[in-house]
Amino acid sequence: MSSKTPYKVLCVCLGNICRSPTAEIVLRHYCDEANLNVMIDSAGTSNYHPNKAPDSRSQLHAKQRGYDLSALRARQLIHRDFVEFDLILAMDYENLENIQQLMRQAQQEFGASRIRAEISLMSQHDPDYPQQEVPDPYYGGQDGFEHVLNQCESSSQAWVQVFQKQFNPQSEQ
Ligand code: 4NP
C-alpha cells in the first residue's frame, strides 16, 4: 500500500468477547503476513461485557492455533466509529442490521458527508462460506469456537485478496 495512513477495519459481533475479537486477531495476522497497511479493531453492538477480556473458550481455542487474544478488551460500537473506520465487518445478519441502524443515527449526528465506513459481512468474499453468518458460539460447545476460527481464517484470507487488489490495482496478474 502506498499511503502511510492505514486502512481501518472494525470487526463487529454482539458481545465483542467471542467472534469479533477472534476476527480481529486472525484478520490482523493475515494482513501482517501480506504486509498490508491495515489497522484492525473490534467492537460489539451490545454493551453486555464492557472492558472484559475475550471469553476464555475463545482465548483457549485461538491459542491452540497460535493466536493471542489476551490483551483485547470489549467495547461497544459507537457513532464515531462510522467516521473513523473505512470498513465495518458484521459477523452475522442481525449484527449487520444493527450496524446499519446505528449508521443512520451517526449520519444524523455527524452529517452524511462525514461517514466513511462501508459495511459488509465478514464472509462477503469467502469462497468457502459465501455470505454465511459466523454463528454465535457463546451458548454452544467447543466445536462452535473451532468453527469461528475456521470461518475467520477463511474469510480473512479472502479479505486480504480484496485489499491487495484495492490497494495495488496495477499489480494484478
Ligand atoms: P459474541 O458472542 O457476539 O461472538 O461476542 C456473545 C457473547 C456474549 C453474549 C452473546 C453473544 N451474551 O449474551 O452475553
Side-chain angles (χ1 to χ4, degrees):
M1 199 179 165
S2 52
S3 162
K4 280 188 177 161
T5 310
Y7 184 76
K8 295 178 74 177
V9 182
L10 186 64
C11 301
V12 174
C13 62
L14 174 63
N16 193 211
I17 56 167
C18 298
R19 292 167 292 173
S20 60
T22 304
E24 174 184 343
I25 294 295
V26 172
L27 183 58
R28 183 177 298 139
H29 166 77
Y30 285 105
C31 285
D32 286 353
E33 191 180 71
N35 243 337
L36 293 171
N37 187 15
V38 177
M39 177 270 189
I40 304 159
D41 192 8
S42 64
T45 56
S46 78
N47 202 26
Y48 293 161
H49 304 278
N51 225 27
K52 287 278 157 53
D55 186 287
S56 56
R57 298 164 295 175
S58 292
Q59 291 203 50
L60 180 71
H61 285 269
K63 202 169 179 188
Q64 287 166 356
R65 296 194 195 193
Y67 303 112
D68 183 1
L69 270 53
S70 62
L72 303 184
R73 295 294 178 267
R75 72 169 179 91
Q76 188 171 24
L77 179 66
I78 56 170
H79 291 173
R80 189 140 201 100
D81 289 322
F82 295 90
V83 173
E84 300 283 336
F85 285 86
D86 298 292
L87 179 65
I88 298 182
L89 296 178
M91 298 300 125
D92 66 31
Y93 284 97
E94 191 180 341
N95 303 150
L96 190 69
E97 252 181 53
N98 290 330
I99 294 165
Q100 282 163 343
Q101 194 177 5
L102 208 68
M103 184 167 79
R104 287 191 283 276
Q105 294 170 15
Q107 282 168 345
Q108 296 290 316
E109 181 174 345
F110 294 110
S113 64
R114 296 209 36 219
I115 303 297
R116 65 193 263 200
E118 251 184 82
I119 302 171
S120 187
L121 267 183
M122 182 69 189
S123 61
Q124 185 62 33
H125 302 284
D126 190 330
D128 294 332
Y129 302 92
Q131 287 92 56
Q132 289 179 31
E133 301 194 311
V134 182
D136 186 348
Y138 190 67
Y139 293 107
Q142 306 294 324
D143 54 337
F145 292 88
E146 286 298 309
H147 186 79
V148 168
L149 280 157
N150 291 342
Q151 268 196 260
C152 285
E153 289 185 332
S154 177
S155 292
S156 294
Q157 290 175 78
W159 275 111
V160 163
Q161 291 196 1
V162 170
F163 297 154
Q164 282 172 326
K165 285 183 191 148
Q166 192 174 324
F167 302 158
N168 299 306
Q170 310 90 325
S171 67
E172 262 184 75
Q173 295 180 357

